[in-house]
Every structure is written in C-alpha cells, then in structure tokens.
Amino acid sequence: MTRGTRKRLLWCVLLLACLLLAWRSAESIGDAYPSVSLRLGTPLTAAQAQEVNALLDGDAAQYSVTCWWEEDGSAETAYAACSALALRYSGALGDIQRFTFLDGGEPGALEGQAAMVAKALALALWGSTNVVGQEFLWNGETWMVSGVFRSEEALLCLPSETAAGATCLELTGDIEDDPVGAANDFMALAGLDDWSGTVYGPQMAALLRLLNWVPVAVCGIWCLLALKRRYPIGRLALRRGLFWGLVLLAAVLVPIGMGRLPGWLTPPRWSDFGFWYRLWVAAGERLEDWFRVVPLSKDVSAKETLLCWAVGWGGSLLCWSECRYLASGAERK
C-alpha cells in the first residue's frame, strides 16, 4: 500500500467518524428533549397546578403536559453518602428525557416511594448497579430503587404526586405543525404569565437530522460522479437503464423522506425561497432563546452535544474536501 493510498484511507476513516459523530449527536439532542419545554420564572403554586390539571383533564384536551423541577440534596445509605441532583416530576418521565436503563425501570403506580438512580450514583452509594429494591434516604425521606439508568452524573428521578413547585412544563400533543403557536396558546389557556422561555428541542433535533443529510448527499453525489468517470458506461441501453433506475429510486425515497418530516418543516411550495429564509431566521431565534434560558442539568449536556455535532458536521465537509483533493491528484497522476 502506497503512502498516498494510506493517506486517502485515513481521510475516509475520519470522514466516516465525523458523520457518525454528527448523527449520534443529533439523536442525543432528540433524547434530551423529547418534548417542547416551557420554562417558568417562578414555581407553580398549588392553585396553578390544579388549573393546569383541570385544563388537561377535559374531554377536548389537545395537549399533554408533564411538570418537573430540579432539586439539590443529599443521598445516604448505610454504606456511603453523597450530594446529588434530583429530578422531581409529575406525569410521564419519557416526555422529559429518554433514559437507557441498566436494571429495572420506572416506578409503578403501586410502588409508593420508588425512585430511579443513575449509574454513577448507584456506584457511589452501593458500589454496584445491581441495587433494585435497595432503600436510601433523600433529604431525610426513605425511597426504594426501582431502576438504574445510564448516566455519569449523580442524578436520581423522584415522582411527585403534585405539580406544585414545578418550574418546567413539557408539552406534547398536536403541536407538530405549529409548535410555537401551540406553546403560546397553552400558556394563555393555563393563565401562566411568568414565562422565562421555551426550548424547542424536538424541532432542533429534526433540523440537525436534516442538516446531517447535506454532507451525506455531497459525498454520495461526488462518489457517483467519480465512479462514472472511472468506469464509463459505453452501451446506451445500459446508461438509460441506470438513469431510470435512479429516477425510480428517487421516486420511492423522496415521498418516504417527506412523510418523516414534521409539518413545520414541509413548505407548501418547495420553490418558496422566502420560507427557507424565514426558517433560518426562526431557527436562529430559537437557538438564541435556548442559550438565554436558565440552564438546567440536561441543558448543559445538550449544549456540549451541540458543540460535538458542529465539530462532526463541519469536520465531515472538511474531510470530504480533502478526500476529493487527494482523489483528483491521484487521477491526474
């Protein structure tokens, strides 16, 4: 293997690594923000929590809301004690964040004071992750472990019977076509005025997934053109057959891709360039709002993930450019 071949192979490996980093980062953003997150300036009072529940319990309810907040404290067992961060929630935990369980799962309705702990916290308190059924103290209250989830931070998830005290509302339901309008409508219906910001996580993840196709498409088109130049097809019938085969493949894949796009990302007319400009401006505004809100624990890790995505996405284009340059130099020789 020549030095030039090894160099091209190295850049190809780096290209695949950058693409993998970009795709995994986009999926991690989606896992961190499964729902549109409404952030409040002050915690919900008991009266406000009842009003939100009454709004959701109606027959014509359009939305589903999970309320949660973060709480610092100390976790203790007979073996050890350490400070930790608790996620207190009322509703569906999966609307707040998607967890990967190493053992057990979410607490059931009949389990009483059951909670989930992170892998790092389980190791700090018991020295093992096989701790389902073990008891521990959290700020003086006794809890039982129902599951252990993957995380390198000292975290635990504690269900709450009431939404009073919540500072975050995760909004789900019929909001795909207009998430911004749905968030505004819900806050108006619930009578919540102290609004510190909104994190449109699912929309951000969808936009990152869409952008991830840019380097993939660029690399794929370049590879097809390079193969065509290197192995020209001489027979007219074969060229026509390949052309119509690609047309048929596009006719199948394009509707599938369009069907997976959320409503807000599908313009009424693809030739409406004003739509794409407005989408770019709106994405910038949403990103600015995200950095403006008071960061919670998952916001910090999500911003680190966004930086990893930017490195992977930009690095993939850089690696493709280097691969293209080396390949063109090899062809000239």
Side-chain angles (χ1 to χ4, degrees):
M1 184 181 294
T2 64
R3 181 180 178 183
T5 303
R6 289 196 300 268
K7 195 172 182 180
R8 289 192 295 272
L9 182 60
L10 175 61
W11 279 105
C12 289
V13 172
L14 289 176
L15 172 61
L16 293 176
C18 288
L19 289 174
L20 179 62
L21 177 62
W23 281 97
R24 291 191 63 179
S25 298
E27 294 303 320
S28 297
I29 291 289
D31 290 339
Y33 298 109
S35 312
V36 173
S37 184
L38 310 175
R39 306 294 174 84
L40 304 178
T42 57
L44 283 178
T45 64
Q48 289 175 326
Q50 291 180 356
E51 188 170 347
V52 170
N53 291 331
L55 180 64
L56 300 176
D57 290 339
D59 296 334
Q62 300 178 358
Y63 312 115
S64 175
V65 173
T66 294
C67 306
W68 64 285
W69 67 98
E70 291 184 346
E71 179 181 285
D72 291 314
S74 175
E76 303 177 24
T77 65
Y79 314 101
C82 69
S83 59
L85 181 67
L87 189 156
R88 301 295 300 262
Y89 67 96
S90 174
L93 183 63
D95 290 342
I96 304 172
Q97 190 171 347
R98 297 190 184 102
F99 295 97
T100 300
F101 287 97
L102 303 176
D103 192 16
E106 294 186 36
L110 302 178
E111 289 186 273
Q113 293 280 91
M116 302 180 304
V117 299
K119 171 186 174 182
L121 184 59
L123 292 176
L125 294 179
W126 292 280
S128 170
T129 58
N130 186 22
V131 295
V132 173
Q134 297 290 331
E135 292 186 346
F136 67 97
L137 292 178
W138 170 255
N139 291 344
E141 295 182 355
T142 301
W143 292 81
M144 183 190 70
V145 178
S146 68
V148 180
F149 59 89
R150 188 185 304 278
S151 178
E152 300 305 321
E153 301 179 19
L155 302 174
L156 61 155
C157 301
L158 309 176
S160 174
E161 295 181 355
T162 176
T167 57
C168 304
L169 307 178
E170 299 297 325
L171 185 66
T172 58
D174 188 16
I175 62 175
E176 285 295 326
D177 293 338
D178 185 14
V180 177
N184 293 332
D185 292 343
F186 175 79
M187 294 296 284
L189 290 173
L192 301 176
D193 299 326
D194 192 6
W195 194 357
S196 66
T198 305
V199 179
Y200 297 94
Q203 289 68 40
M204 179 165 49
L207 193 57
L208 294 183
R209 294 188 189 103
L210 180 64
L211 290 175
N212 280 341
W213 283 106
V214 173
V216 174
V218 169
C219 295
I221 293 172
W222 175 73
C223 289
L224 289 176
L225 293 176
L227 287 174
K228 182 178 181 298
R229 288 194 300 267
R230 188 172 182 85
Y231 304 104
I233 301 174
R235 297 180 62 179
L236 179 61
L238 188 57
R239 290 203 305 269
R240 288 178 175 175
L242 180 60
F243 171 77
W244 288 110
L246 292 175
V247 170
L248 180 61
L249 181 63
V252 173
L253 294 180
V254 169
I256 295 176
M258 289 286 292
R260 297 187 63 180
L261 289 176
W264 61 272
L265 204 52
T266 306
R269 294 177 299 173
W270 285 97
S271 59
D272 182 7
F273 292 102
F275 170 86
W276 297 109
Y277 173 75
R278 292 190 298 271
L279 177 63
W280 182 259
V281 172
E285 292 175 352
R286 300 289 85 78
L287 189 63
E288 185 178 354
D289 292 341
W290 181 46
F291 278 97
R292 189 184 297 122
V293 298
V294 177
L296 300 175
S297 59
K298 71 173 184 177
D299 297 330
V300 175
S301 60
K303 289 173 183 177
E304 295 173 354
T305 303
L306 182 63
L307 179 61
C308 291
W309 174 87
V311 171
W313 193 83
S316 62
L317 293 177
L318 177 63
C319 293
W320 165 79
S321 178
E322 189 65 24
C323 290
R324 178 174 173 272
Y325 172 76
L326 293 174
S328 61
E331 289 178 358
R332 287 195 297 269
K333 293 179 181 180

